[in-house]
Amino acid sequence: MVLPIVIFLNWVWHRLLLLLFIKMPRFSDRLLPRNSPPSRPPVPSSLSFPSFPKCSLHGRDEATLVCDVHGGILRTPSFFPFFMLVAFEGGGILRAFALLLSCSFLWVLDHESQLRVMIFVTFCGLRLKDVEGVSRAVLPKFYLENIDGGVYDVLSSVGRRVVFTSVPRVMVEGFLREYLAVSGVVGTELGMCGEYFTGLVAGSGLVVRHHALKEYFGDSRPDIGLGSTSFHDHLFMSLCKEAYTVDRASSVALPRSKYPKPLIFHDGRLAFLPTPLATLTMFMWLPLGIPLMIFRMLIGILLPHRLALFLGSASGVQITLKGDRPIRSSPEKGVLYVCTHRTLLDPVFLATALGQHLTAVTYSLSRVSEIIAPLRTVRLTRDRSKDADTMQRLLREGDLVVCPEGTTCREPYLLRFSSLFAELADEIVPVAVDVSVSMFYGTTASGLKCLDPIFFLMNPRPRYRVHVLGKVPRELTCVGGRSSHEVANYIQKLLADELGFECTSLTRKDKYTMLAGNEGIVHHHVKRS
């Protein structure tokens, strides 16, 4: 019975979208300007432009360049993956599944109808705040990874950049202005009802690039135009003084070292570019990944370290341990492990790899994570004197784990280390921790933190690398005469060098201000009688 019902619902969904966007031409026409040009206006019979490597990069400081995002700046010509990111991260898994279902008939539609359908499925009912959050915290990572390195060199050589695109402006404007210093962005505007998107295009209609360029520049002509080999791009580029085509066959990704702005913070759960095939693979994996996640979680909670390590490795979790368990010098005070912070599971994997019972201190741990944690966790208050007393007491009871960054960072950077730990311990052991995931990120800034371990353990083959370094020499600690800030900076640099990361002075507050618009502090309200 299930299969016929699914087929029937899928058929109803397709008919609804076809009725809305194809079978109602009068309604669709009202979404376009009355003077909208025909979809294929006349064009000179011979338009042939050289490839962009032939564009001179010298003496362009006063030049104006125009291009599109897809077919120009990005190596990925399809805009489906970026709509999927908005649908999944901003709307949830059901909306993402609906967008994936639409792929079964999108290929039979023309370009304009495809875009209208994807806009409707992706944006209908979404809040403006949620979409802006995705555009600010999620999309820039995937845009940067898809920038064409050669096109970026051309962009960097000119003094003024203007982008014309038919995709919704809200998806691209923030990235283009912040990372590529684009001075003007003309994109499709979407209809709204209060703070929510209707899913329909606004009265100005879908942006027709060559028409929008004429309106934007008037009688003047931009100096350089970049575009693909498609008909509409050629028409768009013919309005420029110079025009160059972008050849995707020879495109190369922009290396991280050349990013116009370092990518340190980003949010979202998806760790891959969600093309239709990749998204289908994810949905096919979920019925296997959820039971596997439950199995991995249960063995970590219920079984001894050695057996949990064996079964976890058999289930696909790769744990690499380098270094030996340090020997405690004094029975009266424990060893303080200072870890880089990649996920909430850092102390768990360290304890499992060492086969040792540890206590972890943390900030803003969710109640669910605290309950299911297979090791003792103690919440800190962010009051320096109280936290110092708490950590001193815990060190007298045994070995302790602390992550002085105070929050996780996904990229190869280390945030500023809090210096409190350096004042408390005589024996400090730095631990370089790094993770690799292929499908889901196990961290979040704006989502539910209780789901972080769940998403991490749903990855097919998550990998944890733990390198226990030797004890910090006594003369390099506070006991040896160094200040707590010197010790913290020394250990940060030591761990960064071991991992091949870069040290920063950024903090937890910087991360959450950028990604979530708050300071990242969870306030626990006490009910008063």
Side-chain angles (χ1 to χ4, degrees), residues 318-322 340 431-436 463-467 499 501:
Q318 297 177 294
I319 304 177
T320 304
L321 174 63
K322 186 178 179 181
T340 55
V431 181
V433 175
D434 196 17
V435 300
S436 297
R463 184 179 181 186
Y464 243 96
R465 294 181 292 276
V466 180
H467 185 185
L499 293 168
F501 289 2

Side-chain angles (χ1 to χ4, degrees), residues 76-143:
T76 303
S78 172
F79 37 68
F80 175 88
F82 306 99
F83 277 95
M84 178 56 71
L85 286 167
V86 175
F88 185 91
E89 306 292 359
I93 193 169
L94 294 180
R95 185 183 296 270
F97 186 67
L99 183 59
L100 179 64
L101 285 179
S102 69
C103 287
S104 59
F105 70 93
L106 279 178
W107 64 275
V108 303
L109 305 179
D110 59 72
H111 175 82
E112 180 179 314
S113 299
Q114 288 180 3
L115 192 54
R116 287 180 180 273
V117 169
M118 281 193 283
I119 288 174
F120 178 78
V121 176
T122 301
F123 286 91
C124 182
L126 281 188
R127 292 189 306 174
L128 174 62
K129 177 182 177 181
D130 294 333
V131 175
E132 288 178 341
V134 174
S135 299
R136 178 183 65 252
V138 178
L139 290 176
K141 170 190 182 294
F142 295 93
Y143 285 144

Side-chain angles (χ1 to χ4, degrees), residues 401-473:
V401 183
V402 63
C403 299
E405 290 175 277
T407 188
T408 56
C409 183
R410 297 174 178 178
E411 296 300 314
Y413 297 92
L414 292 186
L415 308 185
R416 190 180 74 191
F417 276 26
S418 169
S419 61
L420 176 61
F421 74 91
E423 303 172 6
L424 307 176
D426 302 331
E427 295 184 287
I428 301 174
V429 178
V431 181
V433 175
D434 196 17
V435 300
S436 297
V437 295
S438 58
M439 192 170 288
F440 302 111
Y441 284 116
T443 61
T444 184
S446 56
L448 295 174
K449 289 190 175 297
C450 62
L451 298 180
D452 286 359
I454 292 174
F455 273 101
F456 178 81
L457 294 175
M458 274 201 299
N459 281 285
R461 293 184 66 83
R463 184 179 181 186
Y464 243 96
R465 294 181 292 276
V466 180
H467 185 185
V468 181
L469 305 180
K471 291 182 183 179
V472 176

